[in-house]
Every structure is written in C-alpha cells, then in structure tokens.
Amino acid sequence: MTTATGSRWKLYRRTDWRLSQIRRIIAEVDSLGGDRLFLQYPTQGYGWSLTPHLLCAYYSILRKARFTVVLHEFSGLSKKARFAATLMIRTAYEVIFTNSFEQKQAARIDKSIIQRSRVVKIASNIPVAAMVPPLSERKYDLGYFGHIRPRKGLEAFLSAITQIRKQTSGVACVLIGQVPAGFKSFAESIVAQCEALGVEVKLGLSDSDAAETLANVKAVYLPFPDGVSERRGTAMAALANGAMVLTTTGEFTTPALRAAVVDIPSLDAATRILEALQTPHEELALKQAAAQHFLHVEIPSNWETVASAYLE
C-alpha cells in the first residue's frame, strides 16, 4: 500500500495481514499522512486475508478517503478470489486496471465501475541491457523467463525442449527465473528436468543480470495458458531486450501485441519453434520493428511514468 501527497510517495509494507491486526494497520497507515491511498491487489503477501478488502471499505465509505485499488488481475482469478475482488470493486473510491480487457470484465459484474475506473498499463521491472547484440551474435537460441511455479507454462516449455532434442542437439537453451516462496520443491524438479535436457539454468539473478542474459537469447518461449497480454512483464522484458517472443495468443492479446510476437500453437510446438528459429533475417527485422513500435506506443517506459499516471 502507498500514500501520496502531491507527487510524494510513502510506501507501507507488512508481512502480517491477519484480521486481528487491522486496528494496528489503520493506525500505521494514518501515521504516514497523505491525501490519497493506493492498494496493489492481488499480491501473494496478502494470502487469503480479507483485511485489504475491509481497509478498502473502511477508508472509501466510512472515512470518505480517496482510496484507489490497483487491480492487476481479475478475469484470471479463481471464483473465490474474484468474489473477494468484487467487494473491492464495489466499495473503492477508484479502481485502476492494468488493461482495458480486465476493466470490461469487471464491468460485467458492476457497470458503475466504468465511471469509477481507468486503465494504467504497467512497466517491466527488468531494464534494457547496456549492450543488446543482434540476434546472430547471441549465445542462446531458446530460453524461458519467469517465475518457477505451476501454471506458468514451464511444463509446455520442457515438453517442447524434449521434442526438439529428439530432432537436434544444436539448440542452446537457457532457463532464467526466480523461485517464489513455497515453490522450492517444484523448482528442484524443474531444474532436474532442465539438467537432463541440457538446458542451462540461471535462477535468482538481479534485474540487471536478467536483462543481460535476455539480451543474449535469440528467442524466448513463453507458452502462457491464457495467452500473452500486456500485463505479462516477462514478455515485455524479452521484447525490450530484442528477443523474439514465441508464445500463445488468446482473447487478452491485442492486435498490436499480436504483431510483435510469434504465435506458437500448443499443437506441435517444437516444430513451430524450430521453424521460427530459422526465420529469414528480413522477416526478423520486421518483427523486431513491430515489437519496438508496440513497446514505444503501448507500454510505459518506467515505473516513474506509471506512478505519475496514478496521480492524474
């Protein structure tokens, strides 16, 4: 949670969001001052606590405060989580969505949200590397980038690598990622499979080191279960560092983003990936130009720009 006075921000963080702590949380937030409050939701740190929802109702309804919920995801939430998010949507002074699709999905439940919400797209945490070599000079042919946890497309990535290895051993592969809390055993299984397939593993890199590695990957395969979208920071980071993004598309994929990536259907993904790696130079140049145009027009260049947009 953050508070803002003018353009000055104060960050409020805590690990204990139990309902029994709500009085203390309110006192601590009030001590920060500020005439606006912004709550990022959902985040793993809240767990299943309803405290953020009650804070939203308390500040928006009882205190008449300018309490804004920045809703990063709605349509992809479970039924239970979506119900909880709906409580926020209906009580918040304002809701900021990260893309227009999520805003429209929320409006199906509460039409009034259109008048109380707006869209502010997110930036990537990963910078552009200091040196971005041409694709022909990159160390790795194919990579994966993201959190090492279930439902992130890792299984599909490893399945594709397994099939690729049956056809050729000449594709240099790398897995770049972070292991969220609670997924150590899952990550160990993934690492073991990577080692068996000859995939180099780079975990826990700093943002700058992750960018340097991405800038040395020709193509990043990100088979998102629901298709690529603007809120997929991993895809945005890969595009920014000049890699081809091989991915799945879906209802969340805008026409501009679709032009910037290479659609790889799940069926026979390995063959399609190998074909993409053989794309002629002229076609690659056009795809990279489309990617850079998309990033320039559609995606904020940094979080300072995003923060300023929050205050508009």
Side-chain angles (χ1 to χ4, degrees), residues 7-297:
S7 60
R8 293 177 297 172
W9 291 85
K10 292 182 180 179
L11 176 64
Y12 177 74
R13 298 178 64 182
R14 68 165 23 236
T15 57
D16 187 355
W17 289 91
R18 289 177 299 171
L19 189 58
S20 61
Q21 296 293 306
I22 194 166
R23 289 181 179 272
R24 178 175 295 180
I25 293 171
I26 290 172
E28 291 172 349
V29 171
D30 287 346
S31 70
L32 295 177
D35 52 18
R36 299 182 66 177
L37 296 95
F38 295 83
L39 177 75
Q40 304 288 330
Y41 186 87
T43 71
Q44 189 175 5
Y46 297 140
W48 290 106
S49 174
L50 286 175
T51 298
H53 309 75
L54 296 178
L55 289 172
C56 177
Y58 171 74
Y59 279 104
S60 298
I61 298 175
L62 298 181
R63 295 274 292 270
K64 305 298 182 183
R66 298 183 67 182
F67 190 100
T68 299
V69 174
V70 182
L71 195 60
H72 291 268
E73 185 174 11
F74 182 75
S75 60
L77 296 175
S78 66
K79 289 184 178 180
K80 181 179 178 181
R82 192 181 302 182
F83 174 77
T86 301
L87 296 178
M88 285 189 168
I89 289 173
R90 288 179 169 167
T91 57
Y93 171 84
E94 179 189 44
V95 180
I96 291 177
F97 294 92
T98 57
N99 60 65
S100 58
F101 179 87
E102 297 289 349
Q103 184 186 42
K104 291 175 182 176
Q105 291 297 303
R108 291 182 177 181
I109 294 176
D110 186 347
K111 293 181 179 179
S112 71
I113 194 60
I114 296 297
Q115 285 72 45
R116 294 185 294 107
S117 68
R118 52 199 173 97
V119 174
V120 177
K121 297 176 182 179
I122 61 173
S124 172
N125 292 324
I126 306 300
V128 177
M131 294 291 293
V132 181
L135 294 181
S136 60
E137 298 178 11
R138 300 195 176 197
K139 177 180 179 180
Y140 304 103
D141 298 301
L142 185 65
Y144 176 92
F145 175 52
H147 281 164
I148 311 303
R149 58 179 295 176
R151 297 185 62 192
K152 291 295 183 179
L154 277 162
E155 297 85 352
F157 171 77
L158 291 174
S159 176
I161 298 299
T162 300
Q163 296 304 313
I164 287 172
R165 289 291 186 245
K166 293 178 180 179
Q167 301 180 53
T168 177
S169 60
V171 177
C173 302
V174 62
L175 181 144
I176 313 160
Q178 299 281 348
V179 181
F183 294 98
K184 182 180 178 181
S185 60
F186 177 82
E188 289 173 346
S189 172
I190 293 296
V191 169
Q193 293 177 67
C194 285
E195 291 175 347
L197 291 168
V199 177
E200 190 171 338
V201 177
K202 292 179 175 287
L203 300 181
L205 298 179
S206 66
D207 290 348
S208 59
D209 286 343
E212 294 293 336
T213 307
L214 277 174
N216 271 292
V217 181
K218 295 177 183 177
V220 175
Y221 180 41
L222 301 173
F224 299 113
D226 56 351
V228 69
S229 68
E230 294 169 341
R231 64 182 177 84
R232 296 293 188 179
T234 51
M236 301 304 107
L239 289 174
N241 281 286
M244 278 195 300
V245 171
L246 315 180
T247 186
T248 48
T249 57
E251 59 181 333
F252 306 118
T253 311
T254 63
L257 178 54
R258 196 178 295 268
V261 302
V262 178
D263 187 11
I264 302 291
S266 299
L267 186 64
D268 201 19
T271 299
R272 299 294 295 273
I273 290 170
L274 289 173
E275 290 174 353
L277 291 175
Q278 299 300 318
T279 302
H281 176 76
E282 295 77 10
E283 290 185 31
L284 285 178
L286 290 174
K287 183 63 70 174
Q288 286 186 308
Q292 293 307 308
H293 176 76
F294 164 77
L295 291 171
H296 177 72
V297 173

